[in-house]
Amino acid sequence: MPKMTASARTPLVAAVQHAPGKTSKVVKKVVKVSGVPDPKMRAKPGKMVYYFGQLMTEGAADMKQLLGGKGANLADMTTIDLPVPPGFTITTDTCAMYYRNGQRLPHGLMNEVHKNISFLERETGKKFGEVGNPLLVSVRSGAAVSMPGMMDTILNLGLTDHSVAGLANSTKNPRFAYDAYRRLINMFGDVVMGVDHHHFEEAFDKIKKKHGAKLDTDVPEQGMIELCDIYKSTYQRYVGEVFPQNPFKQLELAIEAVFKSWNGDRAVSYRRIQGITGLNGTAVNIQSMAYGNMGEDSGTGVAFTRNPATGENIFYGEFLINAQGEDVVAGIRTPQPVDQMPKWNKEVHKQLLEIKNKLEKHYTDMQDIEFTIEKGKLYMLQTRNGKRTGAAAVRTACDMVREKLIDEETALLRIPAGDLTQMLLPSFDPASKKKSEVITRGIPASPGAAVGKLAFTAAEAVERARKGEAVLLIRKETSPEDVEGMHIAAGILTSTGGRTSHAAVVACGWGKCCVVGAGELEIDAAKGKLTCNGKTYGRTDTLSIDGSTGEVMVGTISTVEPKLSGDFSQVMKWSDKYRKIGVRTNADTPADAQRAREFGAEGIGLCRTEHMFFEGDRIKSMREMILAETTEARVKALDKLLPYQRDDFMGIFKAMKGMPVTIRLIDPPLHEFLPHEEKQQKELAAQIGLSFEKVKQRVSALHESNPMLGHRGCRLCITYPEILEMQVRAIIEATIDALRSNYKPMPEIMIPLVGGKRELAYLRTKVEETIAKVKEEQDYKPRLDVKIGTMIEIPRAAITADEIAEKADFFSFGTNDLTQMTFGYSRDDIGTFLPDYLLHEILPADPFQTLDIGGVGQLIEMAVAKGRSKKPELKIGICGEHGGDPKSVWFCHNVGMDYVSCSPFRVPIARLAAAQAAIKEKNNKD
Ligand code: ADP
Ligand code: MG
Ligand code: MG
């Protein structure tokens, strides 16, 4: 016996002859450490293998890091008395050791495996590799984070030329035995030895033809026997060796293949897309087989305990009679929905519904399960928290609170904040849909409205989408190789496969619009053609697919903004109840401000004034101002801009009635406002009455080598104070107007790109002087509450934040520039190297999307502390892109900011993320 916990060290109960199909009479011994179940206690140093079964169960649900999600939950399901075929799990640490060891299996591993196989033999009463009643196992991968379909499973391992005859005898079902064997040779050849799957497919097709079989289940016993022989020679041809006849050799090679698959292309690519880093490796699960392919009373299926697309509380899934493993999801035969099951086997259906409830009570979350029925007896093979769309996450969380399974705080923590975006996406306009031509209907697998031209391979989708084209990925079925193309496509459409097919599950997890199993479609990927009911569509044709109804339509259907459901507002209400920090929005127009308010923004954290200079005629006056050679000429041009700015501010104050609006003074280098082509320069010259030469000269004079580090931000107003004066005048005139119209304006003037106290002091005086002047002109006597603050976006500003605070009423972290300058990465040029940094995990994520807490975050933390040390009441927020990124919002909460500000569509995300941060903080304290 390996070293185990107390109860496992007691002698094993005498083995009872037990084959799946009979209920075990073994008294169960579940290993439990007394007191707190600390996973570290149960995890024994040096122990590489953990058993689960009736003899003992050494793993538990909270050991996912070590045993992988699949292994931990197999142990857990065994513990709560669900019917799980016994097996054992090789730890993720062992996988890490394999790589440290120069890709060699660690010393002693196979000894532990042998020992555990003998436990399995005792428990099942079968013998691995024996002719009489052979024990067969599956070899399955499973990391701590689930990666559906990323690594392939090998079933029926242990079969050989000898034992297949034994299996045929002991089951009195030779067809089954040879079906199992041909599957093993195929899977082992493909997954372990890298023999292309289609070599086996071709052979199978020939056998089917020969025996006049349409489906694989129609192939008779004789055909299966022939197929095994052909497969073995196919194997030998491509591998150069005979199919291994020693079961332990098979097992060893399979274990190694699982370890290898951890660094296979598909796994690496999936982890990159999902941003999964910091994992040890994959575990290997070796489990005795339950046979779903023993005949009409057997089968296999996958299901969700609730609908993963909508969240509706109904058992949702599919099953296939006389089938094994992946047959259900592979689209070989069309599976039946689980609600058809009572017609086939009422008892099993009832049992599954009971298991659904038991699992949901146990995990208090929606589960994604796999099961197999062997001669009428149900076996559970997997459970995990089900992937779901944003809408389903919201509905499930709210329903589970109503069902008293979870509380509000847990409900909020359950919803990935970023997934709310999906609910804010537009759907097809019913009016426009009515007029459209629906060419066919598939299974609605993942909601959304996608429009695009047709791409027929993942590679093609990637290539065309990168060039800016909206494409729909059209496939017969998808496989893990396709994930890049699936990810980049606007939507996914397949002609085969059901609601639990690869395409459906992956798309649901991403919230990407997806329609599967549109059986009327005939796809010719090689020719780039899709035929449906006699009509043909190619690469340049546009289709629209509706992921909520399964409709496939010709042309571009227009879309409408979403109506947010009651559950969505419930989640927002709860979020506002728990969150501690404010949520503002970045908005430059009254329309954006209005939308953000509807999404719950409590103010504007960043109003960029320069965007206002681009519209219509304004750009003309702006250019005139930039090209002016004297102050008077500049003032004259600015005077033309003044009324526009004032009106814009008025509109925004109106939209944001009673809420703060942070207005940033001009920020970009002036060069950005000028035309760069000769033709346009000539036009401009004519418009403003200058010579073309002059214009050209001025444009090139304004050219800078590093404009982002050049004459921009507050530096502009130091050189051209009249710009500041015009902008502040527009703000104050609008404020006084708005006050007089009772719009309760709360302007905050923000000076960008400050690097030190003196800079800010100098400009603050100018702002204050202008305010005083306008007040006098307007004859406005009461106190005007206009805050004057600065952005902290230059590392020096963060470092000297205490000094700067003396002159600032508020700080707002401009994390785009701060990231750019802290890393020394030009944001506009990262495309050339960032992908490599992410690939090699030199950076864990794009620092312009997720705040770099270790570096940029440290500057922020320091600046907050320093600023508040001088001015405890200093108001602090963030207005970079990071303000809407959940992880960054948590950080902002933790450093004690007053608010985050983000684009209107991210406001709900920030509200939820802020609540999650507050709840997590509270939970950590408890
Ligand atoms: P994935 O992670 O891709 O889902 P799995 O290891 O879960 O891979 O399994 C692939 C398929 O094989 C699933 O349908 C699963 O239920 C089935 N399977 C795995 N192990 C066994 C077993 N011991 N008996 C019967 N079916 C199994
Ligand atoms: Mg699985
Ligand atoms: Mg900036």
Side-chain angles (χ1 to χ4, degrees), residues 70 74 85-86 136-142 146-156 187 285-293 300-302 323-329 368-374 379-382 384 480:
K70 201 179 281 172
L74 283 169
L136 304 189
V137 296
S138 62
V139 179
R140 327 168 60 184
S141 62
S146 97
M147 305 186 200
M150 287 302 110
M151 291 173 251
D152 287 324
T153 293
I154 301 152
L155 301 175
N156 312 324
M187 284 184 266
N285 299 291
I286 291 152
Q287 188 177 21
S288 52
M289 288 299 304
Y291 304 111
N293 55 336
T300 179
V302 285
Q324 200 177 37
E326 305 281 61
D327 290 1
V328 196
V329 292
D368 165 358
I369 62 171
E370 293 173 5
F371 55 89
T372 282
I373 300 119
E374 176 182 317
Y379 289 94
M380 294 298 296
L381 290 162
Q382 189 170 336
R384 62 184 166 207

Side-chain angles (χ1 to χ4, degrees), residues 664 667 712 752-753 791 793 814-818 820-821:
R664 180 179 70 182
D667 185 57
R712 59 176 283 230
L753 221 69
M791 282 180 90
E793 51 187 337
T815 46
N816 300 344
D817 266 307
L818 191 58
Q820 173 157 272
M821 290 190 235

